[in-house]
Amino acid sequence: MATTSNTEITTFNEIFERNKDYISTHLQFKNHTQEQQSTCNIILELATLERVKEITHIVNRAYLKEGYIFEEFERKRTNEEEITEIVENQTKSMEGIICLIDNSSKQLMGSVFVSILMEENVKKLYFGMLAKVEGLNCKFEREGRVFTFAQMVINEIVVDLAKLLGCKYVSCKVFNCATQLINMYKTKCHLKHVGEEPFETDEVLRIPVVFLKLEKLVE
C-alpha cells in the first residue's frame, strides 16, 4: 500500500500526482456479463473539464429516483456549473471527482465524488454522487471475489483510497426514504447508521426527509 503523510498533502490533485503509479496499476477486474467474461483493467483519473458534461449526465440519471421527493419532479441532482467548480478546485482543495476509466477503450465507466473531512478530530473520507454509465449491468471479479459496481467502488476503491490517506472512516449521507439503497449500503458495503442530519433546502418537498449518516470503519 502506498502511503502519503498528512503533512505532505495540500490538495486533492497532489494525492493523485504523488500516487498515480499505484492508483493506475492497482485495480484490475474481470468483467462478468451474461454472455462472457472479459478482463477489464480499470484506471482511476481525476475528472477533467472535458468530462464535465458526461459526469453531470450520469449523476443526474443515477439520482432520477429521488425525483418523487421534490415538487419539481424532474429536479436535477447536479449541474455542469457545480461539477465544473469541483473539477477546477481539485488543485486547491481536499475534494474531487474520481473517474473510473476502461484502460482499453479510455471510456468513462463511472464516477464518484470524494472529500476529506475532519469531524471531532477524526479523519474521514466522504463519498457521494456515485454513478455509472447507462447499460453497465455487469459484475466485477477481483481475486476471486465478485462485486456489483457500487460494491466495487465503495468496498475497493473508496476504502483503498481512505487507507492511502490515513482516514479512519468512509462516510456518506442518504435520504431516509431511500430504503433499498440504505439496505444495500448496510448489507453489501457494510456501512452502519450512525445518526441523522436535517436536509436544509429552499426547494419545495412532496414528503419530509432527513439525511441518514452512514459510516464504515477502515481496517
Side-chain angles (χ1 to χ4, degrees), residues 29-40 102 137-141:
F29 293 85
K30 285 185 178 179
N31 182 354
H32 283 244
T33 65
Q34 291 182 348
E35 295 80 17
Q36 62 182 355
Q37 296 183 20
S38 59
T39 300
C40 179
D102 183 326
N137 298 318
C138 53
K139 292 188 178 182
F140 298 85
E141 179 187 333

Side-chain angles (χ1 to χ4, degrees), residues 40-43 45 51 54 99-110 133:
C40 179
N41 186 14
I42 299 171
I43 61 173
E45 295 180 355
R51 292 200 185 272
E54 192 173 10
C99 292
L100 287 76
I101 309 295
D102 183 326
N103 197 33
S104 299
S105 66
K106 305 303 180 184
Q107 296 297 309
L108 179 70
M109 299 180 69
V133 297

Side-chain angles (χ1 to χ4, degrees), residues 83-205:
I83 300 299
T84 297
E85 182 178 3
I86 294 171
V87 171
E88 291 179 338
N89 286 336
Q90 289 172 153
T91 57
K92 52 190 174 183
S93 72
M94 294 298 286
E95 63 183 34
I97 296 174
I98 300 172
C99 292
L100 287 76
I101 309 295
D102 183 326
N103 197 33
S104 299
S105 66
K106 305 303 180 184
Q107 296 297 309
L108 179 70
M109 299 180 69
S111 62
V112 61
F113 168 81
V114 290
S115 178
I116 302 168
L117 306 175
M118 289 294 293
E119 294 183 357
E120 299 178 352
N121 294 320
V122 176
K123 193 174 183 181
K124 301 179 181 181
L125 186 63
Y126 172 85
F127 71 90
M129 291 198 289
L130 174 60
K132 64 180 181 178
V133 297
E134 188 172 3
L136 188 66
N137 298 318
C138 53
K139 292 188 178 182
F140 298 85
E141 179 187 333
R142 182 187 187 191
E143 298 175 353
R145 295 169 295 158
V146 179
F147 305 93
T148 64
F149 178 81
Q151 285 177 287
M152 177 183 69
V153 173
I154 297 169
N155 292 344
E156 302 295 305
I157 295 171
V158 174
V159 168
D160 274 1
L161 185 59
K163 290 178 182 178
L164 183 71
L165 299 172
C167 296
K168 190 172 183 180
Y169 295 94
V170 296
S171 66
C172 68
K173 295 187 292 187
V174 183
F175 285 132
N176 63 310
C177 56
T179 53
Q180 186 175 358
L181 179 61
I182 293 167
N183 182 62
M184 188 274 290
Y185 277 172
K186 287 181 175 180
T187 59
K188 302 296 185 180
C189 302
H190 312 296
L191 291 156
K192 295 182 179 180
H193 177 204
V194 295
E196 296 183 359
E197 184 178 301
F199 174 52
E200 298 179 357
T201 180
D202 294 328
E203 299 175 90
V204 180
L205 302 178

